[in-house]
Amino acid sequence: MKTIIAVILLTTLASCGTVAGVGEDITGASRTVQGWL
């Protein structure tokens, strides 16, 4: 499970071009993970 999350986060971060984009992606990912719990 942790490996899957890490791969998704790394893929998302790699596709971002700006710092603001990274922040938005991290926020979205954290909300998704919170939804699973």
Side-chain angles (χ1 to χ4, degrees), residues 18-36:
T18 64
V19 174
V22 172
E24 291 174 10
D25 289 339
I26 290 173
T27 301
S30 67
R31 288 182 181 151
T32 301
V33 171
Q34 285 177 352
W36 295 341

Side-chain angles (χ1 to χ4, degrees), residues 1-4 7-10 12 15-16 19 21-22 26-28 31 33 35-37:
M1 183 69 168
K2 290 181 181 180
T3 304
I4 294 171
V7 170
I8 292 171
L9 288 176
L10 289 174
T12 303
S15 66
C16 293
V19 174
V22 172
I26 290 173
T27 301
R31 288 182 181 151
V33 171
W36 295 341
L37 305 176

